[in-house]
Structure formats: structure tokens, C-alpha cells
């Protein structure tokens, strides 16, 4: 039982560390001006499930 608790704790800590890395990378990207306009995101989301579904904005597709 202790081993399972420790394993779950370590997994949770690793997940938190990965999320921080992703957050820092996103903040750096935004600081460099690599952002997508909100209207582009809304248009993309609105297209989901339609016959004219769009590629994600900024995906380069």
C-alpha cells in the first residue's frame, strides 16, 4: 500500500513538472509574439463537426 501511494505521488509530481515545462514554453512563445488571434480560434472551433472543418490556426497546414 505504501509503495502504491509513493508511486502515485511520484507520478503526480512528474505530471506537475511536465505541465510547468509546457507552461514556461508557452509563455516564452507568447513573449516572442507567437500567438494566434482569438477570432481565428473561435472560427476554427465553430467549424468542428461541420462539413467545412478547418485546420487549427497556426498549424501550418
Amino acid at each position: 500500500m505504501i509503495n502504491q501511494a509513493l508511486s502515485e505521488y511520484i507520478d503526480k509530481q512528474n505530471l506537475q513538472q511536465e505541465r510547468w515545462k509546457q507552461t514556461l514554453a508557452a509563455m516564452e512563445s507568447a513573449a516572442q509574439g507567437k500567438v494566434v488571434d482569438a477570432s481565428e480560434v473561435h472560427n476554427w472551433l465553430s467549424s468542428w463537426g461541420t462539413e467545412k472543418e478547418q485546420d487549427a490556426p497556426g498549424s501550418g497546414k
Side-chain angles (χ1 to χ4, degrees):
M1 188 180 258
I2 293 173
N3 285 342
Q4 181 180 354
L6 284 172
S7 178
E8 290 175 9
Y9 175 79
I10 290 169
D11 289 345
K12 184 177 178 181
Q13 294 301 311
N14 287 338
L15 180 59
Q16 280 185 320
Q17 184 177 20
E18 183 58 33
R19 286 182 179 158
W20 271 114
K21 286 180 186 178
Q22 291 173 353
T23 299
L24 292 173
M27 291 173 64
E28 178 63 27
S29 181
Q32 294 175 5
K34 298 177 184 176
V35 295
V36 177
D37 186 73
S39 64
E40 292 181 45
V41 175
H42 289 288
N43 290 337
W44 169 59
L45 292 174
S46 295
S47 77
W48 285 12
T50 69
E51 291 180 17
K52 296 182 180 181
E53 191 167 314
Q54 301 172 6
D55 290 331
S59 66
K61 291 183 180 180

